Amino acid sequence: MKKIEAIIKPFKLDEVKEALHEVGVSGITVIEARGFGRQKGHTELYRGAEYVVDFVPKVKLEIVIDDAKLEAAVEAIQNAAHTGRIGDGKIFVTAIEDAIRIRTGETGPDAI
């Protein structure tokens, strides 16, 4: 099993969700986040005053998936979240030792 963590632009969430659904991903956790990478935030003008926005709004997706579906899920996220502009996001993949469904006690891939 693997865990996919993807940081994407908020307006791309629906497209990514649909793309993941098409490749058979059944569960996603979505967390509203703020942060910055190479773009280091940006400057905005509000009522004539200029101010720096250090943390840009982002959405973090967490998906635990069976190894067989990993490549298709990562590709779906990458294609759906891509705009070609700075700040498109990142995808991280890590190994998951075990998963346990609290309600039934199922473990491993059966729990996801």
Side-chain angles (χ1 to χ4, degrees), residues 10 15 22 34 37 40 59 71 74 88 102:
E15 290 177 51
E22 287 175 16
R34 296 183 321 145
K40 306 271 192 289
V59 173
E71 195 171 317
V74 168
D88 271 356
I102 294 172

Side-chain angles (χ1 to χ4, degrees), residues 37-57:
R38 291 184 181 156
Q39 83 264 28
K40 306 271 192 289
H42 61 279
T43 303
E44 289 189 2
L45 196 62
Y46 180 72
R47 294 190 177 184
E50 192 175 278
Y51 64 100
V52 176
V53 178
D54 290 334
F55 295 102
V56 180

